[in-house]
Amino acid sequence: MARTRKLSARQRYDAWLEAHPALACLIVGASVALALIGIFAFVTFSGFGASAEFIYNQF
């Protein structure tokens, strides 16, 4: 009976990246864009884009 070696999570991840380079690039790009949009929306609509005096008065 032959023993099969179980792949580690890193090996499975690397194999998936090697098999799907375009999809991996798309996922990374979408994640970065979503993070930038989230940061922009937070700064714009939360009041943290206001003057320092306004921010300090919140605390």
Side-chain angles (χ1 to χ4, degrees):
M1 180 180 217
R3 295 183 107 188
T4 58
R5 193 172 138 234
K6 186 175 180 181
L7 295 176
S8 70
R10 178 63 190 221
Q11 290 170 327
R12 283 183 279 143
Y13 175 73
D14 288 339
W16 185 87
L17 280 179
E18 196 172 308
H20 304 92
L23 184 58
C25 184
L26 180 67
I27 290 171
V28 169
S31 299
V32 169
L34 185 62
L36 290 175
I37 290 169
I39 291 168
F40 174 76
F42 175 76
V43 170
T44 302
F45 300 116
S46 69
F48 279 101
S51 68
E53 182 180 343
F54 173 77
I55 295 171
Y56 292 136
N57 287 334
Q58 300 299 310
F59 303 103

